[in-house]
Amino acid sequence: MTETLTETAPRTERPPRDERVPTVVVDGVDIVYRVNGTGAGRGSATAALSRILGGRKGRAKAERRSGVRKVHAVRNVSFTAYRGEAIGLIGTNGSGKSTLLKAVAGLLPTENGRIYTDGQPSLLGVNAALMNDLTGERNVKLGGLAMGMSREQVRDRYDGIVEFSGINEKGDFITLPMRTYSSGMSARLRFSIAAAKDHDVLLIDEALATGDAAFRKRSEQRIKELRERAGTVFLVSHSNKSIRDTCDRVLWLERGELRMDGPTEEVLKEYEAFTNPPKATETAKTAKAPKQAKTAQ
């Protein structure tokens, strides 16, 4: 198991824009979840200490005794992302997309392999934490400070964040506690806060799935602006249209394995054929069509 979640390379002067500069390198990464079973020693301090101090063999023995199940979420995934790219992550439910993003952000450990990043990745998800008991106004200010902006920067960008989110289009909602917001309003505000700052690596997990068409259009434009400022954007989405409109490269994960990596249209064509196979009746009609045409002649 690797000792660190991610390794951040020291910042250097940016090279010319036409030079391909790696921002994220994922090298043979496995990610495993451990689920406690019903064996002896489950949850005991002794069992936990054995897993921590016993090394790999000791941990494996302790896990067998306590009935720990392993769920292999990501299997031997490798790729390199470059500055200026917008990369879509696609796959059926449970394929490991969100898990991989969390690992790149440094929020999950890798079982095997390593992840290297140039700069600090920022993860934006539908469940990104804001404080529901505070007003939207307070969350904008705290969220900006948490991302590393100064108070002056937050003050200067505040109006733009609120306007971008569209929170006040139907009333003065920004002064209300976030617990009064709909899920769509909350997601729009989260994205607006994150998009107010240029990121070295921005990881977006389904955040564009909420909101109306106008907000999605604004979001896609903002992602393009982030790319132009030499950042790298990852987008997890089940909307193929959002992937097509936003990304120039796609990684297809299936059952934790990297099934395909390439230009957006090429990968989506294969993915759509995989998720929407032709029906048996349609296949049969297609197979019979040449014979019918020959008979007609």
Side-chain angles (χ1 to χ4, degrees), residues 29-30 72-77 94-97 253-259:
V29 164
D30 294 315
H72 219 130
V74 174
R75 298 173 180 271
N76 194 30
V77 170
S95 59
K97 305 181 297 295
L253 288 175
E254 202 62 48
R255 295 189 176 183
E257 298 179 348
L258 183 58
R259 184 157 182 165

Side-chain angles (χ1 to χ4, degrees), residues 29-40:
V29 164
D30 294 315
I31 301 173
V32 174
Y33 290 110
R34 288 174 170 79
V35 182
N36 284 325
T38 57

Side-chain angles (χ1 to χ4, degrees), residues 79-97:
F79 65 87
T80 300
Y82 296 91
R83 188 167 289 156
E85 284 190 317
I87 301 174
L89 268 72
I90 62 173
T92 54
N93 288 330
S95 59
K97 305 181 297 295

